[in-house]
Amino acid sequence: MNNKIVSPEYISFDAPYMIIKHMKKIGVQIGKERMIYSDPVTHKIETYEYPVVLVENKISALGNDSIHLNASRDGEVWGDVECKYVSELCQAGKPLSWEDFIKILWHDHKRMGAAERIEKNHIARKLAMYNHGYNIPAPGHYTIHLHTVSLEDTTKVVRSNEKDVFAINIVWTDDLYVLMGSFENELTEYLAILSPLTSTRLWRMTYETEEESLRPLVDKLNSSAFATAFNNRMSGTFHIECIPAYKETDIPHTAPPAPVPGKRGRTEAPPFETYIKPDAPKGFMKALERMLEGKTGKAAFTIILAINDYFISEPPIKSVLNRFPSVKKTAYLKARDKHFGFNGYYGCKVPIAEKELERLREAFEEELNKEKGGEE
């Protein structure tokens, strides 16, 4: 590995740009980073391409033909996934139809597996941000057609038809009450997406099926006040952003600006708190501050890695450095590169053991409990 010659190359794309997705990551692809590894001894050449996505404080440039976006200046690299593994969702910069939004959800269900929870609100926020809003169905009476599907891994799911107004996908169980609970959770997520934009009081839903096994569920749904209308459920517990039509003054600063060549030191970046998930427990930051107190490189990175996707979305390195002064950039980057196999560790990564991550999660839970105890 140490003898290989690395030749990086930025390739900028031209508009119209595509919105891409991999797992929970969503972004506007404005280019790609091509990494060519050549071995002077064997003459073997390996080429890898990684997506370059628009940093979110550049969103105002979308749809402006007079602004040319450059991957090396306005983008950040998804260095942990190759271009061939990302999904293209839709074109950025123009409102999305509800039908296309539902198609994107179905694509996610099929790609991520039956039991994997689809974060509808996260997808909706991102698409609204990148597409200057999107169109929603008019209030009315909608029929949702239910059927079961047995997947290759033997999981059985209950689904709506792909042309129905909602993409419903829940894991089958013989317990009718559990099924109803899962179904109402799905509807609650759609209510949270719809309610900021329109009154949901005029919505009515009816359920149909041709399968006898689903008849008890359909009967119960059709007799449920919430399943047939949104009148009896509040959506105030959901925090919805960027769903209304896009305004330039509303640009959320959730990603750092591209670094200025030659500039040293800790540059401006979004606050670390920007990346805390809405459902993170109270006292989260105080507990994290105690965990990270005095930590520098690998120790700090391991703690952040352990809670990533649980309590936070992956923060930029600059946000971590700016928030926790003891963390040192060189050591933190080395730990990250070694874990993911980036840069000098390509082909010889050494991932941090899941056992160690689980130990840190347990330690973090203990810190949270201390925080809760102090408030009582």
Side-chain angles (χ1 to χ4, degrees), residues 12-302:
S12 294
F13 290 175
D14 294 323
Y17 304 107
M18 297 300 294
I19 300 176
I20 61 172
K21 185 176 186 297
H22 181 263
M23 302 302 288
K24 297 180 181 179
K25 290 183 177 181
I26 301 177
V28 177
Q29 187 175 12
I30 61 171
K32 60 185 177 182
E33 182 184 60
R34 179 176 293 158
M35 302 293 288
I36 301 174
Y37 297 85
S38 56
D39 191 320
V41 177
T42 64
H43 303 292
K44 183 179 179 180
I45 296 176
E46 298 176 348
T47 302
Y48 299 86
E49 294 181 336
Y50 302 95
V52 178
V53 299
L54 181 68
V55 293
E56 291 188 352
N57 60 1
K58 292 284 187 177
I59 292 174
S60 59
L62 289 175
N64 188 338
D65 295 335
S66 65
I67 299 178
H68 178 70
L69 297 172
N70 183 280
S72 60
R73 184 188 65 238
D74 303 316
E76 57 184 2
V77 182
W78 285 359
D80 57 348
V81 58
E82 294 180 61
C83 289
K84 62 184 178 182
Y85 296 121
V86 303
S87 301
E88 288 190 348
L89 302 186
C90 56
Q91 182 179 319
K94 64 179 184 180
L96 189 71
S97 71
W98 183 262
E99 290 79 8
D100 286 338
F101 173 60
I102 295 299
K103 288 179 183 178
I104 288 170
L105 296 185
W106 279 123
H107 179 271
D108 239 25
H109 280 304
K110 294 173 181 177
R111 184 180 177 94
M112 297 180 69
E116 189 75 25
R117 186 173 182 80
I118 303 301
E119 296 187 354
K120 301 178 185 65
N121 288 285
H122 171 64
I123 297 173
R125 284 195 297 268
K126 288 289 189 178
L127 292 178
M129 185 191 309
Y130 296 138
N131 284 311
H132 305 181
Y134 55 80
N135 300 311
I136 62 172
H141 194 150
Y142 293 92
T143 300
I144 297 176
H145 308 82
L146 300 182
H147 62 283
T148 57
V149 177
S150 296
L151 305 179
E152 292 181 1
D153 63 357
T154 72
T155 303
K156 184 178 179 181
V157 295
V158 180
R159 286 181 174 173
S160 57
N161 284 354
E162 294 192 10
K163 292 186 178 180
D164 286 348
V165 68
F166 298 139
I168 303 294
N169 185 87
I170 59 177
V171 176
W172 168 263
T173 172
D174 291 330
D175 191 323
L176 183 57
Y177 291 96
V178 173
L179 275 178
M180 280 293 295
S182 298
F183 206 99
E184 290 197 359
N185 286 340
E186 291 270 293
L187 292 177
T188 300
E189 291 187 79
Y190 285 111
L191 172 60
I193 295 171
L194 295 168
S195 58
L197 294 176
T198 184
S199 170
T200 56
R201 298 183 66 83
L202 299 179
W203 275 71
R204 297 292 182 271
M205 286 81 73
T206 301
Y207 302 89
E208 295 182 356
T209 185
E210 295 180 355
E211 299 180 26
E212 285 302 317
S213 62
L214 290 178
R215 189 68 57 193
L217 173 63
V218 166
D219 290 344
K220 197 163 185 64
L221 287 169
N222 284 328
S223 63
S224 166
F226 173 62
T228 56
F230 287 130
N231 297 349
N232 297 331
R233 181 68 60 93
M234 296 296 291
S235 60
T237 55
F238 288 83
H239 181 60
I240 305 299
E241 296 176 338
C242 304
I243 294 297
Y246 170 84
K247 295 181 181 178
E248 186 173 355
T249 56
D250 293 335
I251 300 171
H253 294 278
T254 56
V260 178
K263 187 174 181 179
R264 298 185 180 274
R266 296 188 175 187
T267 58
E268 291 296 321
F272 181 87
E273 286 78 1
T274 303
Y275 301 92
I276 299 175
K277 293 196 172 186
D279 58 352
K282 189 176 181 181
F284 168 83
M285 276 306 301
K286 289 184 179 179
L288 183 59
E289 285 171 352
R290 287 198 296 271
M291 289 282 289
L292 285 171
E293 185 177 0
K295 300 297 191 300
T296 56
K298 181 178 178 181
F301 170 75
T302 306

